[in-house]
Amino acid sequence: MNRTPDDIAKSLEHAGKSRDLPPLDQWHPELSGDMDLVITRDGQWIFKGEPIAREATVKLFSTILRRESDGEYYLVTPVEKWRIQVEDAPLLAHGLEVKGEGAEQVITLATNMGETLEIGEQHRLHVGSYPETGEPRPVIQVRHGVEARLVTSAFYDLAELAEETEAAGKTVYGVLSHGKFWEIGQGG
């Protein structure tokens, strides 16, 4: 069966009317197949070589996207599971904001899907690196194994907030959010 993004979106319209996120952790259908859908590094959702035109469809799909233990990404409904391709992180994070100071400080980021995420235990910050270039790869956990990559300007904003501390005999840089120190880099 050759399903389109609009077909899947129509079957989920009732879920889209609710503000609650779908219970992906309760849905375990068999693999329906591979969908010709790619999420590019710059956040575009491309179906059969063309960008998905309806923003509402892309936003809905972002709520049914999960990354499983095999490292693959899937769009999941109660009865279907479609494997898709993701070039980097499927979502982007931007619009960094800071509230409070010291241990009370909370750092928030907005995703390209309109969600607001607070760096903390539920939305953990991790700064790894790209193996090919060694460049930083800052991401925030969204849900169900899905990450949002901080765009360059958001990472620079985060770096401006960085504080220096010692950890395991090394100088590290990081930021405070929800009372926890989140490492973003090491000293030379």
Side-chain angles (χ1 to χ4, degrees), residues 30-108:
E30 293 295 316
L31 180 65
S32 302
D34 292 307
M35 181 180 281
D36 187 4
L37 176 64
V38 177
I39 304 173
T40 65
R41 188 173 194 277
D42 66 356
Q44 290 190 59
W45 293 55
I46 309 293
F47 178 67
K48 293 186 177 181
E50 297 292 326
I52 296 177
R54 295 185 62 218
E55 184 178 335
T57 299
V58 173
K59 284 185 175 182
L60 176 62
F61 279 8
S62 75
T63 67
I64 62 166
L65 178 65
R66 77 175 172 215
R67 186 174 193 188
E68 295 188 355
S69 60
D70 61 3
E72 300 284 341
Y73 290 90
Y74 301 90
L75 294 178
V76 182
T77 75
V79 296
E80 295 177 289
K81 177 176 163 181
W82 295 94
R83 183 177 19 238
I84 67 167
Q85 299 300 306
V86 176
E87 291 181 351
D88 193 348
L91 305 178
L92 300 176
H94 56 85
L96 184 139
E97 291 186 12
V98 181
K99 294 180 183 160
E101 294 179 5
E104 303 299 315
Q105 178 171 283
V106 175
I107 300 172
T108 61

Side-chain angles (χ1 to χ4, degrees), residues 102-172:
E104 303 299 315
Q105 178 171 283
V106 175
I107 300 172
T108 61
L109 293 155
T111 72
N112 57 327
M113 297 298 138
E115 294 180 71
T116 300
L117 308 174
E118 294 181 355
I119 295 173
E121 288 303 318
Q122 185 177 0
H123 302 291
R124 301 176 69 79
L125 175 70
H126 174 75
V127 180
S129 61
Y130 290 99
E132 322 76 57
T133 64
E135 291 179 71
R137 184 179 181 271
V139 296
I140 184 170
Q141 295 295 317
V142 180
R143 67 186 154 271
H144 304 295
V146 173
E147 302 169 326
R149 180 179 51 82
L150 278 67
V151 298
T152 303
S153 61
F155 186 54
Y156 287 161
D157 290 343
L158 191 68
E160 288 204 12
L161 299 171
E163 301 174 15
E164 181 180 309
T165 192
E166 293 290 319
K170 293 185 178 182
T171 300
V172 295

Side-chain angles (χ1 to χ4, degrees), residues 22 53 128-129 140 175 177 182:
S129 61
I140 184 170
V175 295
S177 187
W182 301 91

